[in-house]
Amino acid sequence: MAKDKKQNVSDGLDMADEEEMTVTLTLDDGTELECVVLTIFEAGGKDYIALLPLDGQEAEDGEVYLYRYTEDANGTPDLENIVSDEEYEIVVDAFDELLDTEEYDELVSEDELEQ
C-alpha cells in the first residue's frame, strides 16, 4: 500500500456504472489518475476511502491509495491526505483487518457452497 502521494482530488465520486464508483485524482505533476473505489470504512472515529488505480504501473502493482473521506452539507465528497504517520498506521491496520474479514467471509461462503 502506498502512502498518499496525491495532493489534489478532482471530480469527486462518479458513477462509472451501476456497480463501480470511480474517483479522478489529480497528481502533483498535473496528470490525472482514474481509480475505482474499493470501500469507504471507519478507523479511529473517522471515515476513510480506499482507491485502486485502473491503469498504469500503480494498477499493475496493486497499489491502494488511502485518504480521509468526508462529505459537506450537500453530500459532496471530499478527500484529504493523511499527513501523520500515526493516523496512517491506524488506517492501514483497519484496512488490513477489513481485507482479512472479507477474505474470511469469502472462504466461509465458498465452503458453504461446496457442502
Side-chain angles (χ1 to χ4, degrees):
M1 277 177 274
K3 192 165 181 179
D4 34 74
K5 297 179 184 176
K6 314 309 179 254
Q7 293 297 322
N8 301 313
V9 178
S10 64
D11 297 358
L13 299 177
D14 298 318
M15 292 303 292
D17 59 40
E18 290 184 23
E19 296 181 16
E20 205 171 72
M21 287 190 298
T22 61
V23 172
T24 302
L25 298 176
T26 302
L27 308 180
D28 290 339
D29 64 4
T31 59
E32 293 184 343
L33 181 63
E34 191 75 16
C35 299
V36 66
V37 176
L38 296 176
T39 189
I40 297 171
F41 62 100
E42 184 180 335
K46 297 179 184 175
D47 289 331
Y48 296 89
I49 190 167
L51 306 173
L52 179 67
L54 293 173
D55 297 311
Q57 188 63 41
E58 294 90 349
E60 291 177 23
D61 293 343
E63 286 193 44
V64 174
Y65 295 100
L66 302 172
Y67 291 91
R68 191 176 310 119
Y69 176 85
T70 57
E71 291 182 4
D72 66 15
N74 297 324
T76 304
D78 183 43
L79 307 184
E80 300 174 25
N81 285 330
I82 300 169
V83 292
S84 79
D85 290 339
E86 295 82 17
E87 180 182 10
Y88 185 75
E89 288 303 318
I90 290 168
V91 175
V92 167
D93 289 345
F95 183 67
D96 286 344
E97 185 175 319
L98 178 67
L99 289 179
D100 290 345
T101 301
E102 287 186 15
E103 185 176 292
Y104 174 78
D105 290 345
E106 285 179 20
L107 288 173
V108 170
S109 294
E110 288 174 9
D111 287 345
E112 290 174 358
L113 290 174
E114 291 174 3
Q115 294 179 3

